[in-house]
């Protein structure tokens, strides 16, 4: 039998945590043959609720779940960790400036980065879900100088899945007919869902929709879907966010299908003119357990402007975090 994989979930008592943990324990994160040991990291006020979730996990009698540890100490949580899902973050509250938000999250993601640096396993893979996800991932990575930068990623897979669903709905085609869709840039309202390189049944997606829909309906709908969910559900996306986190890590470990790609925010190597070192969303494939940027795509003038705008926002966030001494 294989040794259990240590999976850390931060913010485990939150709503995404609740939607995520049962799926991990049932084998959907790493596959049906891989036992997992869950490490739940919470702040002290969240520990009791995390213990309650652990009782429910126990009651599921998942054959793949080999144990659950609960802690409020990052060093303990990440010791020997193979996968880290960094969900807990400091939300933006009313009247909070971006600088305050970045500083508060620096106080979470820098210590977690140090804990990862100190004790995580050599194959550690980090997915940051907590917002501002891209820059939080950058902060954690900077605090973990001994861990290769490419092990730190941020989630744009929910945006990717939202875009797939919107396009499938518009064209009344099954989701499986759509390939090669890309989210570029930041997981924020500036993100750019790109249909110009996407294909529906092997033909250009952009050519099958009218330009006004693509530019004035599709893009804002995808970029503002989080706000729509809050408006309609009365709470922010949770199960769909957890689902996207599962998709991201599953593909990272197991590979992406031939002839297609997905979207993930990974450290830029300068491809497509994206500032080197920022964690920005790209079209990616996963090969032998590593994300690779899909190279050589055509970027038209419209796409260029959109990508540049989102990248500029990420560069600004990096400058702000630098000024705070977090990089
Ligand atoms: P909740 O407020 O329900 O849960 C967050 C949990 O994190 C709480 O239990 C809290 O005690 C815990 N926490 C806070 N600081 C912590 C720390 N330093 N260490 C460990 N745990 C800590 O939020 P939830 O709805 O679960 O959302 C979590 C995060 O995901 C938010 O930052 C949210 O903005 C972000 N999202 C990101 C998405 C993405 O696509 N990248 C989409 C969904 C979601 O909005």
């Amino acid at each position: 039998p294989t040794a259990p994989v240590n999976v850390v979930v931060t913010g485990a008592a939150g709503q995404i945590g609740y939607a995520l943990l049962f799926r991990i324990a049932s084998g959907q994160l790493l596959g049906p043959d891989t036992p997992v040991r869950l490490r739940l990291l919470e702040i002290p006020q969240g520990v009791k609720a995390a213990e309650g979730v652990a009782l429910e996990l126990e009651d599921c009698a998942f054959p793949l779940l080999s144990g659950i540890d609960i802690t409020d100490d990052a060093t303990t949580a990440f010791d020997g960790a193979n996968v880290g899902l960094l969900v807990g973050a400091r939300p933006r509250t009313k009247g909070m400036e971006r600088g305050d938000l970045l500083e508060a999250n620096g106080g979470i993601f820098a210590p977690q980065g140090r804990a990862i640096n100190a004790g995580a396993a050599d194959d550690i893979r980090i997915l940051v879900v907590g917002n501002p996800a891209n820059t939080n991932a950058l902060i954690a990575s900077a605090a973990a100088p001994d861990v290769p930068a490419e092990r730190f990623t941020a989630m744009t897979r929910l945006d990717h899945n939202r875009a797939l669903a919107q396009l499938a709905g518009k064209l009344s085609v099954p989701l499986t007919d759509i390939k090669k869709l890309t989210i570029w840039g930041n997981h924020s309202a500036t993100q750019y869902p790109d249909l110009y390189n996407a294909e529906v049944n092997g033909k250009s997606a952009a050519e099958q929709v009218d330009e006004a829909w693509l530019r004035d309906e599709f893009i804002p709908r995808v970029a503002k879907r989080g706000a729509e969910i809050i408006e309609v559900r009365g709470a922010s996306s949770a199960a769909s966010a957890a689902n996207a986190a599962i998709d991201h890590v599953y593909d990272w470990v197991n590979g992406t299908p031939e002839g297609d790609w997905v979207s993930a925010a990974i450290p830029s190597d300068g491809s497509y003119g994206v500032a080197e070192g920022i964690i920005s969303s790209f079209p990616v494939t996963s090969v032998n357990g590593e994300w690779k940027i899909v190279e050589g795509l055509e970027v038209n003038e419209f796409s260029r402007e959109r990508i540049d705008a989102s990248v500029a926002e990420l560069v600004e966030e990096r400058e702000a975090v630098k000024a705070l001494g977090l990089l």
Side-chain angles (χ1 to χ4, degrees):
T2 29
V5 172
N6 292 317
V7 180
V8 178
V9 177
T10 78
Q15 53 153 3
I16 295 176
Y18 194 71
L20 188 55
L21 289 164
F22 298 85
R23 297 190 56 187
I24 299 172
S26 72
Q28 293 178 60
L29 187 76
L30 298 166
D33 303 317
T34 309
V36 291
R37 188 168 182 98
L38 284 170
R39 307 277 193 74
L40 315 187
L41 179 67
E42 259 294 345
I43 51 176
Q45 308 90 285
V47 165
K48 185 151 184 269
E51 285 168 357
V53 179
L55 296 181
E56 279 202 78
L57 282 161
E58 210 178 298
D59 293 348
C60 294
F62 288 120
L64 288 172
L65 183 57
S66 74
I68 308 171
D69 309 300
I70 301 164
T71 179
D72 62 7
D73 177 59
T75 307
T76 307
F78 286 106
D79 187 43
N82 306 104
V83 175
L85 299 164
L86 277 45
V87 179
R90 174 71 164 79
R92 188 190 289 255
T93 40
K94 222 176 153 201
M96 203 178 194
E97 298 294 334
R98 188 174 62 179
D100 303 334
L101 181 74
L102 291 170
E103 189 165 22
N105 279 293
I108 296 174
F109 288 87
Q112 289 181 3
R114 286 194 287 275
I116 291 162
N117 200 56
D122 286 345
D123 67 347
I124 182 70
R125 288 182 168 89
I126 299 291
L127 171 63
V128 176
V129 175
N131 282 319
N134 302 51
T135 296
N136 287 342
L138 189 66
I139 293 169
S141 177
D146 303 330
V147 178
E150 64 266 20
R151 304 300 178 78
F152 286 86
T153 67
M155 189 165 94
T156 52
R157 187 63 173 266
L158 177 55
D159 309 300
H160 180 94
N161 288 344
R162 286 167 170 167
L164 283 175
Q166 289 302 319
L167 182 62
K170 172 72 177 172
L171 295 175
S172 303
V173 296
L175 285 154
T176 46
D177 285 1
I178 304 172
K179 305 264 186 290
K180 304 183 178 176
L181 192 143
T182 307
I183 304 292
W184 298 89
N186 199 2
H187 168 69
S188 75
T190 67
Q191 66 175 263
Y192 172 51
D194 174 8
L195 293 188
Y196 291 101
N197 284 295
E199 293 175 358
V200 180
N201 282 315
K203 288 182 290 209
S204 162
E207 282 169 20
Q208 294 177 59
V209 295
D210 62 85
E211 203 158 89
W213 179 82
L214 190 162
R215 297 184 181 192
D216 305 331
E217 287 184 51
F218 170 76
I219 293 173
R221 187 98 196 263
V222 171
K224 294 180 192 158
R225 185 68 163 183
E228 183 181 351
I229 301 293
I230 293 172
E231 168 71 25
V232 180
R233 190 174 96 92
S236 59
S237 319
S240 55
N243 177 70
I246 298 267
D247 284 350
H248 177 112
V249 174
Y250 185 90
D251 286 351
W252 194 356
V253 172
N254 295 292
T256 41
E258 199 58 40
D260 199 3
W261 64 68
V262 296
S263 304
I266 67 170
S268 173
D269 61 359
S271 293
Y272 298 104
V274 176
E276 204 175 327
I278 60 168
I279 297 186
S280 188
S281 189
F282 285 99
V284 291
T285 55
S286 163
V287 183
N288 299 326
E290 287 181 26
W291 291 120
K292 300 250 177 288
I293 295 171
V294 177
E295 302 289 353
L297 300 180
E298 197 196 317
V299 175
N300 65 21
E301 203 180 320
F302 178 78
S303 298
R304 185 73 267 161
E305 274 172 29
R306 293 294 179 129
I307 294 169
D308 288 349
S310 198
V311 166
E313 182 182 53
L314 283 171
V315 169
E316 269 177 40
E317 287 182 17
R318 178 171 66 180
E319 292 311 311
V321 158
K322 236 186 226 163
L324 292 166
L326 291 165
L327 293 189

